[in-house]
């Protein structure tokens, strides 16, 4: 299994409401891709507003294999979502790792 975690901050100038709207749109674009990509186990977009956070929004996803992750990254729906995400975020941090499912 492969875990794919991405963290972003929103661009300067987005209001609190603008961040909420952008986050909801990111969620609506990214989460449905799970049903389009063979080997996608979970795709979850989370906006957590705890004061201890230093990122605005996260994508936490799980894939059956590295090949499934690559299929996801090249899928037209992901490419389209990425265009929107890049328009509302100013930074991106990613970590992918393999693990054995229990």
């Amino acid at each position: 299994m492969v875990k794919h975690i991405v963290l972003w901050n929103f661009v300067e100038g987005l209001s609190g409401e603008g961040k909420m709207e952008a986050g909801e749109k990111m969620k609506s674009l990214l989460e449905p891709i799970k049903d389009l990509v063979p080997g996608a186990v979970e795709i979850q977009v989370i906006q957590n507003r705890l004061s201890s956070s230093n990122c605005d929004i996260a994508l936490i996803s799980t894939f059956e294999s590295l090949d499934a992750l690559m299929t996801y990254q090249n899928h037209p729906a992901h490419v389209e979502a990425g265009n929107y995400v890049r328009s509302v975020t100013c930074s991106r941090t990613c970590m992918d790792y393999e693990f054995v499912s229990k």
Side-chain angles (χ1 to χ4, degrees):
M1 302 286 270
V2 174
K3 189 68 81 171
H4 174 64
I5 301 170
V6 184
L7 304 170
W8 296 275
N9 284 309
F10 290 114
V11 293
E12 294 278 329
L14 271 184
S15 66
E17 184 176 322
K19 289 178 182 181
M20 289 284 294
E21 290 172 3
E24 286 302 314
K25 182 161 184 180
M26 288 171 65
K27 183 178 188 76
S28 72
L29 291 170
L30 290 165
E31 287 185 355
I33 300 171
K34 175 187 171 283
D35 297 327
L36 303 175
V37 174
V41 176
E42 176 187 38
I43 297 176
Q44 184 178 27
V45 175
I46 301 167
Q47 262 187 292
N48 199 337
R49 292 159 201 81
L50 295 178
S51 62
S52 58
S53 298
N54 61 11
C55 289
D56 294 320
I57 192 162
L59 167 76
I60 301 172
S61 52
T62 306
F63 297 88
E64 291 177 355
S65 66
L66 187 54
D67 286 340
L69 172 59
M70 294 300 137
T71 299
Y72 162 78
Q73 290 179 329
N74 293 303
H75 193 280
H78 179 263
V79 173
E80 179 184 336
N83 289 332
Y84 176 74
V85 170
R86 282 187 295 281
S87 77
V88 295
T89 60
C90 62
S91 63
R92 177 183 182 274
T93 301
C94 175
M95 181 172 179
D96 298 329
Y97 63 92
E98 289 185 285
F99 68 98
V100 176
S101 180
K102 294 180 182 179

